[in-house]
Structures are given as C-alpha cells and as structure tokens.
C-alpha cells in the first residue's frame, strides 16, 4: 500500500495526508527513506493542516523518531507547532487505564496520571523523577516490536 500511496501523496489534502501518515506509523510498514520523504512533504504543506492533522503528524513524527532511533528534525518551529497541536487535545484515558491506575498507589508507587513528556509523549502513569512509566493499553497501538526496556534505555 505504501508503494502505491507514496507517489500520490501530493494529491492528498491535509486530512488525507495526516490520516495516511498515521496509518503508516500504526502499521510500521514504511522504510526510513519513505519516512523522511513523507515528513518533508508534510512540512511543506503544514500551513494547510488543521489541529487534528497536526496532532496526527506529531504522533507520526514521534513514532519515526523513537522507533527508528534516528534523529529526524523538522526544525524547532515546526516541531513546537506540532507539539502544541498534540497537547491541545483532551486526553481520553481508557476504562482499563482508569481501572488499573490505583494499583501502583496501593503498592506504594506514587505516580502521576496521564503524564506528558517534554516531547509530547503521553504516558498513562509515570514517576518523572525516576524516568519510569506505565503504559496500560499502549504504545502497541502505533509502535511495533515494543519491549518494556525500549523507553527505559532512552531515558
């Protein structure tokens, strides 16, 4: 699908482009070169993106950065615009997340609920000082091959 869609991305409106980027990030079936090409195209068209599309682009960019473990810069101004769009959304914790959230407290593990990192990653629960977090029902939604130590190693 990526091979068929990539040559036509220039025909997509901002909503279609953002949705396609999110689908690519979710499926994890895109090469590093394709990621860079898509991000370049998205940045060139960023002025046409609404807040929802900017938020999706932010998530795609974060997935590309963390999963590929590459420094992918969009430039500070663009990165901050994406981050602000993402953070402007209202968190919608799942019922499972709410049900599980008291367990760490009962075990003596003080935590913050719905903690957002500097980069804009949202963790279900976290101890920012110790750089530890708990994801109840993610990030498997949009990252492939996630292991419990992936985030801990990166600090």
């Amino acid at each position: 699908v990526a091979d068929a869609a990539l040559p036509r991305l220039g025909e997509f409106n901002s909503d279609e482009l953002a949705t396609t980027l999110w689908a690519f990030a979710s499926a994890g079936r895109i090469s590093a070169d394709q990621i860079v090409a898509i991000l370049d195209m998205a940045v060139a068209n960023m002025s046409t993106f609404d807040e929802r599309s900017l938020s999706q682009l932010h998530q795609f960019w974060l997935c590309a950065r963390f999963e590929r473990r590459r420094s992918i810069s969009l430039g500070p101004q663009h990165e901050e615009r994406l981050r602000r769009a993402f953070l402007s959304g209202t968190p919608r914790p799942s019922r499972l997340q709410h049900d599980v959230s008291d367990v760490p407290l009962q075990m003596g593990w003080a935590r913050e609920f719905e903690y957002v990192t500097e980069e804009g990653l949202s963790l279900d629960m976290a101890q920012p000082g110790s750089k530890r977090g708990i994801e109840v029902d993610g990030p498997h939604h949009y990252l492939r091959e996630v292991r419990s130590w992936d985030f801990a190693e990166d600090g």
Side-chain angles (χ1 to χ4, degrees):
V1 173
D3 291 336
L6 286 170
R8 301 189 66 193
L9 288 179
E11 302 168 24
F12 291 16
N13 65 36
S14 61
D15 187 55
E16 293 166 339
L17 182 58
T19 301
T20 302
L21 294 177
W22 181 240
F24 285 158
S26 298
R29 302 284 187 229
I30 188 168
S31 73
D33 290 339
Q34 290 169 326
I35 288 171
V36 172
I38 290 170
L39 285 171
D40 286 344
M41 181 179 297
V43 167
N45 293 294
M46 196 179 290
S47 64
T48 65
F49 282 43
D50 62 13
E51 291 298 302
R52 181 182 151 277
S53 298
L54 289 170
S55 180
Q56 287 180 310
L57 178 57
H58 180 70
Q59 293 172 73
F60 175 80
W61 174 64
L62 286 177
C63 288
R65 281 185 52 214
F66 287 111
E67 186 170 344
R68 299 291 179 162
R69 300 191 187 275
R70 290 180 58 183
S71 177
I72 301 173
S73 177
L74 304 177
Q77 183 178 6
H78 295 307
E79 291 171 10
E80 182 56 26
R81 183 166 178 219
L82 296 179
R83 183 180 172 279
R84 279 194 320 266
F86 180 73
L87 294 177
S88 71
T90 304
R92 294 186 314 238
S94 70
R95 179 170 174 81
L96 174 64
Q97 183 180 338
H98 280 290
D99 290 346
V100 172
S101 68
D102 286 335
V103 173
L105 292 173
Q106 294 169 3
M107 296 170 50
W109 198 78
R111 70 351 178 224
E112 290 188 36
F113 188 73
E114 280 296 321
Y115 178 77
V116 178
T117 69
E118 248 181 64
E119 298 86 2
L121 288 171
S122 175
L123 299 172
D124 294 342
M125 293 168 262
Q127 282 184 329
S130 67
K131 295 189 176 182
R132 291 195 166 99
I134 297 175
E135 258 311 308
V136 174
D137 49 8
H140 69 274
H141 301 292
Y142 52 89
L143 294 177
R144 60 188 164 86
E145 298 179 24
V146 173
R147 298 175 306 268
S148 60
W149 61 84
D150 280 345
F151 295 104
E153 286 180 358
D154 290 338

